[in-house]
Amino acid sequence: MSSSRLLPRLAALSLALAFPAPSRADAPLPSAREREAALLVGSVLGGTPMLEDLRSLVDEVGGRATGSEANNRSVEWALERFRAAGVTARAEAFPMPALWLERGASASVQGPGVRFAPRVAAMPFSTATPKGGLTAPLLEAGRGTEADFQRLGAKARGAFLLVETDELKDVDGLFREYDEAALIETRAFAAGVAGVVYMGSRPGNQLYRHSVSTGPRNTRPMMVMERDGAKRALRLLRAGKALSLTAALDLRTGGPYEARNVIGEIRGTTRPDEVIVLGAHLDSWDLGGGALDNGANVAMLLDLARQMQRLGLKPARTVRFALWNGEEQGMYGSAGYTRTHAAELDRHTLALSVDIGCGRITGFYTNGRSALVPLVDRALKPVEGLGPFTQVDVPVVGTDNFDFMMHGVANLIANQEPATYGPNYHARSDEFEQCDARTLRTNAAVVGALAWGFATMDEKLPRQSRAEVEALIRDTDLGPQMKSFNVWEEWAAGTRGHPLEGKPTPAPR
């Protein structure tokens, strides 16, 4: 069936699902806004260019680390697509603290009667090795616990430490990996190691990027070694073999520079100064094509903007479609936005981040704003047949809601089934085939209903003060999460989120 014939049927179906035939003759009919939401839902469920956009971004632009030529191409790619759809769009510059890109990485393990060359990937913000590589003893560090470092004692100084990992299965394991790495690296740096080598946690010997916990302040070579090669080295070490590692990490690094977000905008009608932000990050790491993280959700937001414009829908509030850069290095693009738009944040009524791949959306994290829960429930009424949806009212760090949360703006993260996300996270295998087309379109319908609900409802939550954000930190595990993601010090200094009392808001740079 052609898309021109399919779309009206899908719109009618979405109306029927959301608003069953009334049992009484005097039952109220759907409002105009409810009918508009159903029309948008039906449109994105149909034959739109969303999947072709994803294929183009992943296959033609490819992996797009911030600061790379591919990332610059992705900005122009996104601007062209917004403008081709008739949506006003602009690039907005923001500061990145440091440039980090890998040009090449190799390693060899050697010992008496042993030599092999496992594949390795430099960890973002690793330091480069001298030309020709760096050779140091390779020691088995177990899981990198406090007891493991006590066992190693003074031998750890000046050595590469090989840390054993579990195979990554899901998103819970991913967050555990981040938390554990921050502790392991703190112990390793205190012990004066030459560097840390993590056993790859991805199946199939996939290499991937995992940022050093101290970010640009790191002073050591750090890497991930393919899982089978690391297992071989561990077996040799545990059998009593003395091994050394020669690592050669060729990196392109530098000081602060400017990157760009892409902002598409559909201006509001009756409340144009009030803004909702729908965000997904445009950047990715470079080993794979960045389909799950986060090209799929970039394509989704582009398509929602396209369909709103095509259908002539007029939101009450201004809707901004934000394609962030610098997310992978520390959510710097969204942080830059909150600085550039600091004077407008009192009028930002919602900021959404969609960043957990292509798994089905099961609800939303409301990030410690319990008053958001009934508003989200109401906005999702047009797609309740695609549920059930459950809202989770805990704060989450790790994606582009963060700076909005720290500025007191009501914020959401789409909660998604893990699907193929965990094992392919930041990995070479993060390619187009990882995304299920039907699920991606269903997610677009869910986000579309949510966006239209918040763009048109009368209610809005007030912006929280710094004291209220501090209470959220005190009453939840938000503080430890911030420390594991290397953003605590900026908050404590007042340079990220609400400024400290008596300190001016940092000027946009």
Side-chain angles (χ1 to χ4, degrees):
M1 183 181 294
S2 71
S3 59
S4 61
R5 295 172 60 196
L6 181 61
L7 285 175
R9 295 192 183 196
L10 286 168
L13 176 61
S14 60
L15 270 170
L17 287 171
F19 311 108
S23 56
R24 305 193 329 269
D26 60 347
L29 294 172
S31 69
R33 291 306 188 191
E34 290 169 334
R35 293 195 299 272
E36 289 164 351
L39 187 61
L40 178 59
V41 166
S43 179
V44 296
L45 286 171
T48 74
M50 185 178 356
L51 270 296
E52 174 56 23
D53 282 347
L54 175 57
R55 187 212 59 75
S56 174
L57 181 60
V58 170
D59 292 345
E60 296 167 20
V61 179
R64 44 202 179 274
T66 305
S68 68
E69 287 305 311
N71 187 267
N72 291 333
R73 290 198 307 274
S74 75
V75 169
E76 300 305 323
W77 177 94
L79 287 169
E80 187 278 329
R81 272 160 174 73
F82 273 128
R83 291 166 179 168
V87 176
T88 300
R90 62 186 179 272
E92 292 188 351
F94 66 91
M96 287 290 292
L99 177 68
W100 189 96
L101 297 167
E102 181 193 279
R103 286 190 289 237
S106 63
S108 65
V109 175
Q110 52 273 330
V114 174
R115 180 178 291 273
F116 61 102
R119 295 179 306 126
V120 295
M123 293 171 62
F125 300 115
S126 168
T127 60
T129 60
K131 194 169 184 179
L134 174 67
T135 301
L138 181 65
L139 301 181
E140 179 257 315
R143 300 291 177 138
T145 65
E146 192 68 48
D148 288 318
F149 277 89
Q150 289 174 359
R151 169 178 56 82
L152 287 168
K155 292 185 294 183
R157 181 169 295 277
F160 280 118
L161 300 189
L162 179 57
V163 178
E164 187 175 10
T165 66
D166 293 321
E167 186 174 301
L168 186 65
K169 302 287 188 183
D170 51 33
V171 176
D172 289 339
L174 178 60
F175 277 93
R176 187 165 56 250
E177 196 173 88
Y178 272 109
D179 291 341
E180 291 173 353
L183 296 173
I184 291 165
E185 289 160 24
T186 298
R187 297 174 188 130
F189 300 156
V193 303
V196 177
V197 183
Y198 287 97
M199 172 190 288
S201 64
R202 309 297 190 268
N205 282 331
Q206 295 287 341
L207 290 176
Y208 56 94
R209 302 280 187 222
H210 192 305
S211 295
V212 179
S213 61
T214 52
R217 293 173 297 149
N218 174 56
T219 58
R220 292 167 174 81
M222 308 280 284
M223 69 203 82
V224 172
M225 182 182 289
E226 61 180 351
R227 191 167 184 83
D228 286 350
K231 284 183 174 181
R232 180 180 177 185
L234 275 180
R235 289 193 300 270
L236 288 164
L237 290 167
R238 288 168 178 170
K241 282 280 189 183
L243 300 178
S244 63
L245 175 73
T246 300
L249 306 181
D250 180 15
L251 309 175
R252 181 182 161 207
T253 60
Y257 67 100
E258 235 179 37
R260 295 178 295 165
N261 297 320
V262 178
I263 309 294
E265 182 170 296
I266 294 180
R267 185 85 172 154
T269 52
T270 58
R271 282 167 280 180
D273 291 338
E274 295 180 10
V275 178
I276 70 166
V277 176
L278 310 178
H281 67 87
L282 182 58
D283 65 311
S284 74
W285 284 119
D286 53 331
L287 294 175
L292 293 166
D293 193 17
N294 191 29
N297 296 311
V298 166
M300 176 208 297
L301 294 189
L302 278 167
D303 205 49
L304 283 170
R306 179 188 290 121
Q307 299 311 315
M308 284 186 191
Q309 184 72 18
R310 186 184 68 82
L311 295 167
L313 298 179
K314 304 294 184 185
R317 296 185 173 99
T318 293
V319 181
R320 286 183 184 157
F321 302 86
L323 307 184
W324 310 116
N325 268 315
E327 192 274 346
E328 298 293 3
Q329 293 90 339
M331 296 93 71
Y332 288 114
S334 46
Y337 175 96
T338 61
R339 293 188 187 103
T340 300
H341 296 272
E344 300 175 48
L345 291 181
D346 283 344
R347 300 189 298 277
H348 277 57
T349 62
L350 185 75
L352 167 70
S353 179
V354 193
D355 188 18
I356 314 180
C358 299
R360 185 182 74 86
I361 293 176
T362 61
F364 294 84
Y365 290 101
T366 50
N367 295 302
R369 301 293 296 268
S370 58
L372 269 176
V373 173
L375 302 183
V376 173
D377 289 342
R378 187 195 315 168
L380 294 176
K381 286 291 288 181
V383 289
E384 60 185 356
L386 300 176
F389 301 107
T390 302
Q391 317 329 324
V392 183
D393 190 38
V394 298
V396 177
V397 179
T399 188
D400 288 299
N401 73 301
F402 172 72
D403 284 273
F404 293 97
M405 176 167 60
M406 306 315 288
H407 276 281
V409 175
N411 61 102
L412 300 171
I413 304 171
N415 189 11
Q416 297 175 253
E417 292 177 344
T420 63
Y421 187 75
N424 301 290
Y425 177 77
H426 291 180
R428 176 64 190 87
S429 53
D430 184 5
E431 298 289 357
F432 180 79
E433 292 80 5
Q434 300 297 342
C435 284
D436 177 74
R438 178 182 296 179
T439 306
L440 183 56
R441 290 200 180 279
T442 300
N443 287 349
V446 172
V447 172
L450 179 90
W452 198 251
F454 276 89
T456 56
M457 68 175 60
D458 292 329
E459 294 84 354
K460 62 177 181 178
L461 297 188
R463 184 181 173 194
Q464 291 179 321
S465 65
R466 183 176 176 104
E468 289 173 304
V469 177
E470 287 173 339
L472 181 65
I473 295 171
R474 184 186 64 241
D475 296 339
T476 68
D477 71 342
L478 181 53
Q481 288 187 64
M482 291 165 67
K483 290 172 184 175
S484 73
F485 278 92
N486 196 33
V487 290
W488 172 261
E489 291 180 8
E490 292 172 289
W491 162 257
T495 58
R496 198 154 183 177
H498 272 297
L500 291 168
E501 191 171 343
K503 286 188 67 175
T505 302
R509 289 177 287 171

